Amino acid sequence: MHRLILWILLLAGIGFWSRPGVAEDGYQLWLRYVRIEDEALRQRYLQQFRALHLEATSPTLEIVQEELRRGLQGLLGTSIPSVDRVEEGVLLVGTPASCPTVAALGLEAELQALGDEGFLLRTMTVEGHRATVLAAASDVGVLYGAFHLLRLLQTHRPIDSLNVREAPRVRLRVLNHWDNLDRTVERGYAGFSLWDWFKLPDYIDPRYRDYARANASLGINGTVLTNVNADARVLLPEFLEKVAALADIFRPYGIRVYLTARFSAPIEIGGLDTADPLDPDVRAWWREKVAEIYRYIPDFGGFLVKANSEGQPGPQDYGRTHADGANMLAEALAPYGGVVMWRAFVYAPEAEDRVKQAYDEFVPLDGQFRENVLIQVKNGPLDFQPREPFHPLFGAMPRTPLMMEFQITKEYLGFSTHLAYLGTLWEEVLQADTYARGEGSTVARVIDGSLFGRELTGMAGVANIGTDRNWCGSIFDQANWYAFGRLAWNPDLRADSIAEEWIRMTFTNDPRFVAPVKQMMLESREAVVNYMTPLGLAHLMGPGHHYGPAPWFDQAPRPDWNNTYYHRADTLGIGFDRTATGSNAVAQYFSPLREIFGSLERCPEKYLLWFHHVPWDYRMRSGRTLWEELVDHYYQGVETVRRWQSLWKSLRAFVDPERFEQIATFLRIQEKEAVWWRDACVLYFQTFSRRPIPAGYEQPAHTLDYYIELQRKLQRFPMPGHWVGR
Amino acid sequence: MHRLILWILLLAGIGFWSRPGVAEDGYQLWLRYVRIEDEALRQRYLQQFRALHLEATSPTLEIVQEELRRGLQGLLGTSIPSVDRVEEGVLLVGTPASCPTVAALGLEAELQALGDEGFLLRTMTVEGHRATVLAAASDVGVLYGAFHLLRLLQTHRPIDSLNVREAPRVRLRVLNHWDNLDRTVERGYAGFSLWDWFKLPDYIDPRYRDYARANASLGINGTVLTNVNADARVLLPEFLEKVAALADIFRPYGIRVYLTARFSAPIEIGGLDTADPLDPDVRAWWREKVAEIYRYIPDFGGFLVKANSEGQPGPQDYGRTHADGANMLAEALAPYGGVVMWRAFVYAPEAEDRVKQAYDEFVPLDGQFRENVLIQVKNGPLDFQPREPFHPLFGAMPRTPLMMEFQITKEYLGFSTHLAYLGTLWEEVLQADTYARGEGSTVARVIDGSLFGRELTGMAGVANIGTDRNWCGSIFDQANWYAFGRLAWNPDLRADSIAEEWIRMTFTNDPRFVAPVKQMMLESREAVVNYMTPLGLAHLMGPGHHYGPAPWFDQAPRPDWNNTYYHRADTLGIGFDRTATGSNAVAQYFSPLREIFGSLERCPEKYLLWFHHVPWDYRMRSGRTLWEELVDHYYQGVETVRRWQSLWKSLRAFVDPERFEQIATFLRIQEKEAVWWRDACVLYFQTFSRRPIPAGYEQPAHTLDYYIELQRKLQRFPMPGHWVGR
């Protein structure tokens, strides 16, 4: 009879957790909290957490309580009783201010050292009882610690002798939403903007909270709500009251809102006839506007600005510098603790080499920015390509806070239907050595401030989030949101371990699934590089929408928007000579990098055509000629995706049918488009190399003209995330 | 011990059905299938359905099987075993072709009489056993019957002696999506278009099936995928393969796809220099284009066309008639069984009275259209206003199939945040007597073909469906989708009973909830009429976006786009004189309507200012002056919404928190905007009436200038569903 009851309980459990009729649509992200199947492990965890002691004295601590309740109940399959005093196996959660028991632990010095957002997670004896302590100096630190603890359980880590001390290495960890006020999203491939401006501020979509929760689970503490190609209208009171409603929702999750400031706003909505940053009326207008914003949003984060770039207005329109422009805004924000994030993504059509311009413009301004200005620098000097060398500005402005700008949305890496885990790309950049202060001067140390002793630090990620049910357009793109958040917390984390965490939380801890899927993710960005832009090539995408290959494109209104500008293929060879015989962009790097990059022999082959124009018959390290090597990379890219397809099929048993099918479909799309990329590029470059595709490779199914016509046709159609200029 | 087991089973059941962590977000629409709480009733149903006999010999019957499995398991809390022969209490489902047992029942004649889409649902003895038979001549008839049966259970109807014979009264029951190819939706207030053209045809969003299923549950059998302000590019092969993928999904649900045909497509994508419908090359181009479409979609439904209206191209551009244009397309479609739905929504700026024009243009063409042409007529002669008299074309074209066009999306009734159940509006129109063949010649009888003996009949609804999780932007707007489908099936159904069905299926069968909520719904459209456009007023909305009041608006590029054109208020009175002393639009109605509408005394007061210019001191039936009556209607509208708010608060116990809160918020928005409407209109009309707001009414909180400025400001901002012309 007892066995019967157990059997019934088991069925009940299955009923409880299988959620009939509720598809695994990806909405839960990495916060699924499914019951731990390993019964022994579940029992060990239950032993550890017999009761919860938490005094929810603030909205943030209420969120912590709810998250722990939800997480532990989900993972452990039973609710943990709340207690109001210490007992054996208690989980003790709080700050010295929220909880006298925590205050009595004597941890204050340690907690102070961990700062405003850090936390401590420790197995210790409290009042004679074995306890797990989650403590922090601030409520939001407790929140981060709660997500950390739940992550340990989600990934089946031991928790019986915890001694975790964590604090974020970067101060501003922000998403950049390129969302327009009409809810279109520039370079967004996951539907439309989450911000329903029309219904705000009256209606608060429950999804706003879910968004904040997901970000808080990673430690993301800021969000720029609007597109860098900015619309001044968001600064009008009619919009500020809507922004304030979002800020109110995000605040208890530790998230501040920022806005993009259109530099010409004083003209467009202020009624002035100039936006000159040295004009007293303009300065007064911004001061008053900022004061107004802080009346709506007392903890407003500040402005992100794209100025004098791709048609955006800026201080140079008035003969002023970027420093003049940034400092004017910074001065207005300073009394309230706000910051200016000023983008270094600037280039003009007349320059000899686009990738040199940001360095040339910004390095002379080092030291001229107010202390609440950060310069936001894309990871590479061009524009979020599948691979670029790191931006030479990193290390070159020791007196200025440089923040990293990564692009989470995959504008140049296959939109949302190609699997491309960006953790490896970002790790490659962050671990690159700038040699700015000798060996070990990694980009990560520029970003976290340790290299030049900077306090104000930041990392931005251009969001890949939209109204699609799964948030990011695909399940695997959720991993890029996740990886960005984790790296912003700690830029020295490894792509490998981040991927593993994410897989375990998002799918399963079963090693038969984790190992192969992690392998797929870790090689995925390289596969995209291979079938799109191998060996240092860049910017071969369809014009405007950036969908599919168009290496032949040379009809742009300015030379640096042509794809031929970047690959410079001719009958002699291919690649952009950036050595001393060419644009000498290599000189922007510190020694020994400038010598390594500048040397045809020493330059890493992955950057070869970025820095060198190389003869078609140049002998590569493999022994193949450059042409053969180039072709081989394109074919390797396709082969990798094909291998994934059969691999994924073999994993069906580990995944729910909904997510399994969607991923299988997207892999088919990726294969189709990888072949398109490969064939179009190989056929096009072949018109210069005049060499055959070596024997043993499958021949392209179409002619080059077919691919040119296909791309021409695509120009006629609406595309997701298409450039929306104004 | 048995009690313990029962108790555990009960808990298991609760666990099973309460779906922890899954919010009631409205995605399930009226197909929620929650377990019946009334245990006695559930037992009676279980007695009735002890087993299911269904041979799923087609994709449609597989869908039936899955729906019955899902529905019965949900409602009854247990799965019904499938059996392969008749036994006591069997539910026997199929067609004579799919199932020999059904074939042996001798129902063929009855089923034939019910037609291709009808079904029969009957309690009878089969092979000596008590059985419930669901039978139809076609698979899709079975599908409709399955949803009918589940609806009986969802609404707690007795099913022990069923004798249902149902067949749709209207042949084409179609949604019109005003969806653009860039996924914006004209007049869409529920997010963006469901059709993810970029990912189609490769990726099939599971939501496409859910969309088809919801439509099939109502008997909707067609969908026009694209905006009537049409984009010719949807006719290119690159899009047709995407349309075909949708058609493949919809087909087993009995749904055909239609497209909007841009009249100038032969020029824009065909390379011709004319679109003249009598030009042989143009005719050949359309023939070939249609042949191409049918190669992609063998059961393509046909075209919906907006021509020579609001800037759209059409046959009149070439001196041809609407009949010339429609017949050209109809000729191309005829060999494949396709139809043309040609809109009668035409008007030109120069005419003396916009509402007369469709009649004047189309009545002379009666009898000139090919037999596969339907003329699609909006319910009223103006444009989907909160109230209009029925369109005088109904009854006036006896030799032409006229189909109804209702607008489900609430362009003029408060978008998705105002509660306005449209069942009552549509019932008012359908039950209106045209007197075309004497008394009893209702609009419903024009639409269902019975008045003039027409075979080809149709009803179109401009969809209110988008990417919002709840499909329609609000829960109550789901009722309008529902009501449209039910009325398209049977135009003589009553708004009251449809509302009751919907409430029971969407929320609960508890009479303490059903009765008050039904009351709210039934009075809701009248409330909107009251606070927006009472007593026959029309078109007082903000220009362009149609959000909020702007009765003063008179700056349009053409007179008939000014709001002053419609209300004609002056110091003497208000209203549009459409009697013989005015535009004489009354003459377009049959006697005795023309006399009734034309008489100040006999005209129903709800249409008074539509047909008459009436002095401010005119004595109304209430004894009040017109001015007093007008004011009173505006205040009544607000009072009704206020009453709903407290009513809704009292119903909290019957609704899940997610839907309760959303509805409560939307009612607050509705109240706020109702006050805005009331005060702006009363203050504006007061400038003409020069009479005070009678004592006892609360005074407006702002001046008229405030409201004028507010509307002027709104013109600056992006609005959902804003007109997207091209």
Side-chain angles (χ1 to χ4, degrees):
Chain A
M1 194 48 122
H2 277 95
R3 196 173 290 181
L4 176 61
I5 293 175
L6 277 175
W7 184 81
I8 290 168
L9 279 171
L10 181 71
L11 282 181
I14 291 169
F16 200 81
W17 293 112
S18 69
R19 300 180 180 179
V22 178
E24 286 281 3
D25 54 22
Y27 189 81
Q28 298 299 325
L29 296 163
W30 49 84
L31 300 170
R32 296 169 68 240
Y33 301 144
V34 292
R35 188 185 160 104
I36 292 166
E37 313 98 40
D38 179 340
E39 187 55 21
L41 181 68
R42 194 174 73 88
Q43 289 303 332
R44 283 205 302 279
Y45 286 157
L46 279 171
Q47 280 303 321
Q48 206 65 27
F49 297 140
R50 296 195 203 163
L52 171 67
H53 179 70
L54 185 162
E55 297 183 37
T57 55
S58 73
T60 300
L61 290 175
E62 283 169 16
I63 290 167
V64 172
Q65 189 172 45
E66 165 61 16
E67 193 70 34
L68 286 172
R69 187 204 60 75
R70 178 176 178 173
L72 295 175
Q73 178 161 324
L75 289 159
L76 306 180
T78 182
S79 65
I80 309 299
S82 283
V83 294
D84 55 10
R85 54 202 189 88
V86 173
E87 55 186 58
E88 192 65 13
V90 73
L91 171 58
L92 174 59
V93 178
T95 66
S98 78
C99 176
T101 315
V102 171
L105 295 174
L107 299 168
E108 302 244 2
E110 261 189 284
L111 295 179
Q112 287 305 324
L114 290 168
D116 261 359
E117 301 183 302
F119 61 87
L120 177 153
L121 196 50
R122 188 172 292 167
T123 310
M124 56 196 287
T125 303
V126 180
E127 297 174 14
H129 297 288
R130 190 173 47 81
T132 305
V133 174
L134 163 53
S138 72
D139 293 350
V140 76
V142 178
L143 179 61
Y144 293 153
F147 280 115
H148 187 102
L149 177 63
L150 289 166
R151 184 188 305 129
L152 294 177
L153 271 62
Q154 287 176 282
T155 54
H156 294 194
R157 302 300 172 201
I159 56 161
D160 46 6
S161 56
L162 289 174
N163 191 10
V164 174
R165 295 153 52 97
E166 282 271 337
R169 291 255 307 274
V170 174
R171 204 168 115 190
L172 308 180
R173 306 175 299 278
V174 298
L175 288 179
N176 287 184
H177 286 271
W178 287 358
D179 292 16
N180 299 307
L181 300 186
D182 64 3
R183 298 188 71 183
T184 57
V185 179
E186 186 169 323
R187 311 308 182 184
Y189 311 103
F192 294 83
S193 173
L194 293 181
W195 325 133
D196 188 349
W197 294 114
F198 178 72
K199 291 205 190 85
L200 283 168
D202 298 295
Y203 177 61
I204 301 301
D205 189 324
R207 195 160 184 175
Y208 303 146
R209 280 195 186 84
D210 294 337
Y211 163 86
R213 171 177 170 248
N215 280 321
S217 80
L218 306 173
I220 290 172
N221 68 358
T223 179
V224 185
L225 300 175
T226 47
N227 193 351
V228 287
N229 292 318
D231 187 327
R233 294 177 296 178
V234 78
L235 302 177
L236 287 167
E238 294 86 346
F239 264 92
L240 290 177
E241 65 168 354
K242 299 170 189 280
V243 174
L246 290 175
D248 290 344
I249 300 300
F250 298 161
R251 188 169 297 113
Y253 293 91
I255 296 169
R256 287 182 172 202
V257 301
Y258 300 73
L259 294 173
T260 47
R262 185 159 163 89
F263 203 78
S264 49
I267 301 171
E268 290 160 15
I269 63 168
L272 303 186
D273 53 12
T274 178
D276 181 349
L278 300 191
D279 183 280
D281 290 344
V282 171
R283 299 174 79 83
W285 186 87
W286 279 111
R287 265 197 309 276
E288 182 39 47
K289 178 53 70 181
V290 166
E292 184 187 18
I293 293 173
Y294 279 91
R295 285 195 293 275
Y296 282 98
I297 308 147
D299 58 348
F300 179 66
F303 292 133
L304 168 63
V305 186
K306 173 178 179 177
N308 292 122
S309 170
E310 298 181 331
Q312 293 296 306
Q316 294 177 342
D317 302 346
Y318 306 95
R320 315 301 182 186
T321 69
H322 286 290
D324 294 329
N327 289 342
M328 170 189 64
L329 296 173
E331 186 181 288
L333 289 159
Y336 312 96
V339 301
V340 171
M341 301 178 289
W342 191 272
R343 288 175 98 227
F345 180 64
V346 298
Y347 62 100
E350 55 274 8
E352 57 160 335
D353 184 358
R354 169 171 161 184
V355 307
K356 288 174 62 183
Q357 295 180 63
Y359 184 100
D360 289 344
E361 276 196 48
F362 277 85
V363 168
L365 299 174
D366 191 29
Q368 296 183 27
F369 293 97
R370 285 187 61 108
E371 62 183 7
N372 58 333
V373 176
L374 300 102
I375 303 302
Q376 183 168 311
V377 184
K378 293 188 180 182
N379 59 273
L382 181 48
D383 188 12
F384 298 136
Q385 294 301 298
R387 170 168 282 130
E388 301 181 35
F390 71 85
H391 201 302
L393 273 176
F394 293 117
M397 293 182 74
R399 292 186 294 162
T400 309
L402 296 197
M403 64 189 283
M404 176 62 76
E405 180 175 317
F406 286 134
Q407 191 181 43
I408 312 173
T409 189
K410 302 208 310 299
E411 174 181 356
Y412 293 104
L413 288 100
F415 299 2
S416 61
T417 49
H418 291 211
L419 165 53
Y421 171 57
L422 301 178
T424 46
L425 190 166
W426 300 334
E427 179 185 278
E428 181 176 286
V429 173
L430 290 166
Q431 296 309 319
D433 198 336
T434 68
Y435 293 95
R437 288 277 184 273
E439 200 169 339
S441 304
T442 59
V443 172
R445 295 194 58 216
V446 177
I447 296 307
D448 74 7
S450 61
L451 189 65
F452 301 123
R454 304 225 65 89
E455 290 283 310
L456 183 55
T457 56
M459 192 184 291
V462 180
N464 64 349
I465 300 164
T467 51
D468 275 5
R469 184 67 182 164
N470 64 20
W471 300 88
C472 300
S474 78
I475 301 297
F476 276 108
D477 278 306
Q478 297 177 353
N480 292 325
W481 180 6
Y482 185 88
F484 167 76
R486 298 288 285 138
L487 286 170
W489 181 270
N490 180 354
D492 280 325
L493 286 179
R494 297 300 146 148
D496 179 307
S497 59
I498 295 171
E500 176 153 344
E501 278 174 13
W502 177 81
I503 296 166
R504 288 172 176 268
M505 294 162 80
T506 304
F507 290 105
T508 172
N509 282 278
D510 193 312
R512 292 168 299 173
F513 182 87
V514 174
V517 171
K518 185 168 74 170
Q519 182 58 30
M520 242 167 78
M521 288 174 69
L522 291 179
E523 68 192 17
S524 60
R525 179 263 190 146
E526 200 65 40
V528 174
V529 169
N530 279 334
Y531 64 70
M532 286 190 184
T533 53
L535 296 173
L537 289 173
H539 223 307
L540 307 181
M541 293 76 185
H545 52 58
H546 297 162
Y547 177 56
W552 49 81
F553 179 70
D554 60 1
Q555 302 294 312
R558 44 189 273 190
D560 55 348
W561 287 351
N562 281 325
N563 291 342
T564 50
Y565 176 96
Y566 296 101
H567 63 69
R568 310 212 160 184
D570 56 30
T571 54
L572 302 178
I574 181 171
F576 196 130
D577 183 2
R578 293 190 167 106
T579 68
T581 61
S583 76
N584 204 24
V586 293
Q588 293 181 339
Y589 291 92
F590 289 92
S591 276
L593 281 183
R594 63 172 60 148
E595 292 80 12
I596 293 170
F597 289 158
S599 155
L600 185 58
E601 291 70 35
R602 295 171 67 201
C603 181
E605 288 190 348
K606 63 185 176 181
Y607 301 132
L608 188 67
L609 305 181
W610 183 275
F611 287 115
H612 298 273
H613 189 78
V614 183
W616 291 111
D617 284 332
Y618 178 77
R619 196 58 60 179
M620 304 289 285
R621 273 156 223 165
S622 66
R624 285 190 282 254
T625 67
L626 170 64
W627 166 247
E628 291 163 350
E629 186 83 5
L630 185 71
V631 170
D632 189 66
H633 275 274
Y634 275 109
Y635 277 81
Q636 272 182 46
V638 170
E639 287 316 307
T640 307
V641 178
R642 287 184 175 153
R643 185 158 42 74
W644 296 343
Q645 287 184 283
S646 47
L647 176 69
W648 184 251
K649 283 202 191 84
S650 75
L651 299 172
R652 184 187 292 269
F654 300 101
V655 197
D656 48 281
E658 294 82 5
R659 293 190 294 175
F660 180 85
E661 285 302 334
Q662 189 186 64
I663 290 167
T665 300
F666 286 0
L667 288 175
R668 279 195 298 277
I669 292 173
Q670 184 169 14
E671 188 216 340
K672 192 170 79 170
E673 296 185 355
V675 170
W676 172 26
W677 264 97
R678 179 195 73 186
D679 291 353
C681 290
V682 167
L683 287 169
Y684 169 70
F685 290 132
Q686 194 178 34
T687 65
F688 299 101
S689 78
R690 300 176 183 173
R691 282 151 177 82
I693 297 169
Y697 296 107
E698 66 182 11
Q699 294 298 306
H702 302 283
T703 64
L704 178 58
D705 284 343
Y706 169 88
Y707 294 109
I708 292 173
E709 173 62 15
L710 178 56
Q711 188 59 256
R712 202 189 58 73
K713 275 189 190 166
L714 283 170
Q715 293 294 320
R716 298 196 294 198
F717 298 117
M719 285 278 168
H722 200 300
W723 176 272
V724 180
R726 59 173 61 79
Chain B
M1 194 49 120
H2 278 94
R3 195 171 290 180
L4 175 62
I5 292 173
L6 277 174
W7 184 83
I8 290 169
L9 279 171
L10 181 70
L11 281 182
I14 291 170
F16 200 82
W17 292 113
S18 69
R19 300 178 179 180
V22 178
E24 285 282 3
D25 54 22
Y27 189 81
Q28 299 299 326
L29 295 163
W30 47 86
L31 301 170
R32 296 169 66 241
Y33 302 143
V34 291
R35 187 184 160 104
I36 292 166
E37 314 98 42
D38 178 338
E39 186 55 22
L41 181 68
R42 193 175 73 88
Q43 290 301 332
R44 284 206 300 281
Y45 285 158
L46 278 171
Q47 280 301 321
Q48 208 64 29
F49 297 140
R50 296 195 204 163
L52 172 66
H53 179 71
L54 185 162
E55 298 183 35
T57 54
S58 74
T60 299
L61 291 175
E62 284 169 16
I63 290 166
V64 171
Q65 188 173 45
E66 165 61 16
E67 194 69 33
L68 287 171
R69 186 203 62 73
R70 179 176 176 172
L72 295 176
Q73 178 162 323
L75 290 158
L76 304 180
T78 181
S79 65
I80 310 300
S82 284
V83 294
D84 55 9
R85 54 202 191 86
V86 172
E87 55 185 57
E88 193 65 14
V90 76
L91 171 58
L92 175 59
V93 178
T95 67
S98 78
C99 176
T101 315
V102 172
L105 294 174
L107 297 168
E108 302 244 3
E110 259 189 285
L111 294 179
Q112 287 304 323
L114 291 168
D116 261 0
E117 301 183 303
F119 61 87
L120 177 153
L121 197 51
R122 188 173 291 167
T123 311
M124 55 195 288
T125 302
V126 180
E127 298 175 14
H129 298 288
R130 188 174 49 79
T132 305
V133 173
L134 164 53
S138 72
D139 293 349
V140 77
V142 177
L143 179 62
Y144 293 154
F147 281 113
H148 187 102
L149 178 63
L150 289 167
R151 184 187 306 129
L152 295 176
L153 270 63
Q154 286 176 282
T155 55
H156 294 194
R157 303 298 172 201
I159 55 162
D160 46 6
S161 55
L162 290 174
N163 191 8
V164 175
R165 295 155 52 98
E166 282 271 338
R169 291 255 305 274
V170 175
R171 206 169 113 189
L172 308 180
R173 307 176 298 279
V174 298
L175 289 179
N176 288 186
H177 287 270
W178 287 359
D179 292 15
N180 300 307
L181 300 187
D182 64 3
R183 299 189 71 182
T184 57
V185 179
E186 186 169 325
R187 309 311 179 184
Y189 311 103
F192 294 83
S193 173
L194 292 182
W195 325 134
D196 188 350
W197 293 114
F198 177 72
K199 290 206 191 84
L200 282 167
D202 297 295
Y203 178 60
I204 301 301
D205 189 324
R207 195 161 184 174
Y208 302 146
R209 279 194 186 84
D210 293 338
Y211 163 87
R213 170 177 171 250
N215 280 321
S217 79
L218 305 173
I220 289 172
N221 68 358
T223 180
V224 185
L225 300 176
T226 48
N227 192 352
V228 287
N229 291 319
D231 187 327
R233 294 177 296 179
V234 77
L235 303 176
L236 287 167
E238 293 86 345
F239 264 91
L240 291 176
E241 65 167 353
K242 299 169 188 284
V243 174
L246 289 175
D248 290 344
I249 299 299
F250 298 162
R251 189 169 296 112
Y253 293 90
I255 296 169
R256 286 182 173 202
V257 301
Y258 299 74
L259 293 173
T260 47
R262 185 159 163 88
F263 204 78
S264 50
I267 300 171
E268 290 160 14
I269 63 167
L272 303 185
D273 54 12
T274 178
D276 182 348
L278 300 191
D279 182 281
D281 289 344
V282 172
R283 300 174 79 83
W285 186 86
W286 279 111
R287 265 198 309 277
E288 182 39 45
K289 179 52 70 182
V290 167
E292 184 188 17
I293 294 172
Y294 278 92
R295 285 193 294 274
Y296 282 98
I297 309 147
D299 59 348
F300 179 65
F303 293 132
L304 168 62
V305 186
K306 173 178 180 176
N308 291 122
S309 170
E310 297 180 329
Q312 293 296 307
Q316 295 176 342
D317 301 345
Y318 306 94
R320 316 301 183 186
T321 69
H322 286 291
D324 294 329
N327 289 342
M328 170 189 64
L329 296 174
E331 186 181 289
L333 290 159
Y336 312 95
V339 302
V340 171
M341 302 178 290
W342 191 271
R343 289 175 98 227
F345 179 64
V346 298
Y347 62 101
E350 56 273 11
E352 58 159 337
D353 183 358
R354 169 171 161 184
V355 307
K356 288 174 63 183
Q357 295 180 64
Y359 184 99
D360 289 344
E361 276 196 49
F362 277 86
V363 168
L365 299 174
D366 191 28
Q368 297 182 29
F369 292 96
R370 285 188 61 111
E371 62 183 7
N372 59 332
V373 175
L374 300 102
I375 304 302
Q376 183 168 311
V377 183
K378 292 188 180 184
N379 58 274
L382 180 50
D383 189 12
F384 298 136
Q385 293 302 297
R387 171 168 282 130
E388 301 180 35
F390 71 85
H391 203 301
L393 273 175
F394 294 116
M397 293 183 74
R399 292 186 293 162
T400 308
L402 296 197
M403 65 188 284
M404 176 62 77
E405 179 175 319
F406 285 134
Q407 191 181 43
I408 311 173
T409 189
K410 303 207 310 298
E411 174 180 356
Y412 294 104
L413 288 101
F415 300 1
S416 60
T417 50
H418 291 212
L419 166 52
Y421 171 57
L422 301 178
T424 47
L425 190 166
W426 299 334
E427 179 185 278
E428 181 176 286
V429 173
L430 289 165
Q431 296 308 320
D433 198 336
T434 69
Y435 294 94
R437 289 278 186 271
E439 201 170 339
S441 303
T442 59
V443 172
R445 295 195 57 217
V446 176
I447 295 308
D448 75 7
S450 61
L451 189 65
F452 301 123
R454 305 224 65 89
E455 291 283 312
L456 182 55
T457 56
M459 191 183 294
V462 180
N464 65 348
I465 300 165
T467 51
D468 275 6
R469 184 65 183 166
N470 64 20
W471 299 89
C472 301
S474 79
I475 301 297
F476 277 107
D477 278 307
Q478 297 177 353
N480 292 326
W481 180 7
Y482 185 88
F484 167 77
R486 297 289 285 139
L487 286 169
W489 181 271
N490 179 356
D492 281 325
L493 286 179
R494 297 300 146 148
D496 179 307
S497 59
I498 295 171
E500 176 153 344
E501 277 175 13
W502 177 81
I503 296 166
R504 288 171 177 268
M505 295 162 81
T506 303
F507 292 105
T508 171
N509 282 276
D510 193 313
R512 293 168 297 173
F513 182 88
V514 174
V517 172
K518 185 167 76 169
Q519 182 58 31
M520 243 167 75
M521 288 173 68
L522 291 178
E523 68 192 17
S524 60
R525 179 263 190 147
E526 201 64 40
V528 175
V529 169
N530 279 334
Y531 63 70
M532 286 189 185
T533 54
L535 297 174
L537 289 173
H539 223 309
L540 307 181
M541 295 75 185
H545 51 60
H546 297 162
Y547 177 57
W552 49 80
F553 180 70
D554 60 1
Q555 301 294 312
R558 45 191 275 190
D560 55 348
W561 287 350
N562 281 325
N563 291 343
T564 51
Y565 176 97
Y566 297 101
H567 62 69
R568 309 213 161 185
D570 55 31
T571 54
L572 302 178
I574 181 171
F576 196 131
D577 183 2
R578 292 191 168 105
T579 69
T581 61
S583 76
N584 205 24
V586 293
Q588 292 181 340
Y589 291 93
F590 289 93
S591 277
L593 281 184
R594 62 171 61 149
E595 293 80 10
I596 294 170
F597 289 158
S599 155
L600 186 58
E601 291 70 34
R602 295 171 67 201
C603 182
E605 289 189 348
K606 62 184 176 183
Y607 301 131
L608 190 66
L609 306 181
W610 183 276
F611 287 115
H612 298 273
H613 190 77
V614 183
W616 292 110
D617 285 331
Y618 178 77
R619 196 58 62 179
M620 303 290 286
R621 272 155 225 167
S622 66
R624 286 190 281 254
T625 66
L626 170 63
W627 167 247
E628 292 163 349
E629 185 83 6
L630 186 69
V631 170
D632 189 66
H633 275 275
Y634 275 110
Y635 278 80
Q636 273 182 46
V638 170
E639 287 316 308
T640 307
V641 179
R642 287 183 176 156
R643 185 160 40 76
W644 297 342
Q645 286 184 283
S646 46
L647 176 68
W648 185 251
K649 282 202 191 85
S650 76
L651 298 172
R652 184 186 292 270
F654 300 100
V655 198
D656 48 281
E658 293 84 3
R659 292 189 296 175
F660 179 84
E661 286 301 335
Q662 189 185 64
I663 290 167
T665 299
F666 286 1
L667 288 175
R668 280 196 297 276
I669 293 173
Q670 186 169 14
E671 189 217 339
K672 191 171 79 169
E673 295 184 355
V675 170
W676 172 27
W677 264 98
R678 179 195 74 186
D679 291 353
C681 289
V682 168
L683 287 170
Y684 170 71
F685 290 132
Q686 195 179 31
T687 65
F688 300 101
S689 77
R690 300 176 183 174
R691 283 153 177 82
I693 297 170
Y697 296 107
E698 66 183 10
Q699 294 298 306
H702 303 283
T703 64
L704 178 58
D705 285 342
Y706 169 88
Y707 294 109
I708 292 173
E709 173 61 16
L710 178 56
Q711 189 58 255
R712 200 189 60 74
K713 274 189 192 168
L714 284 170
Q715 293 295 320
R716 297 196 293 197
F717 299 116
M719 286 278 168
H722 200 299
W723 174 272
V724 181
R726 63 172 58 80

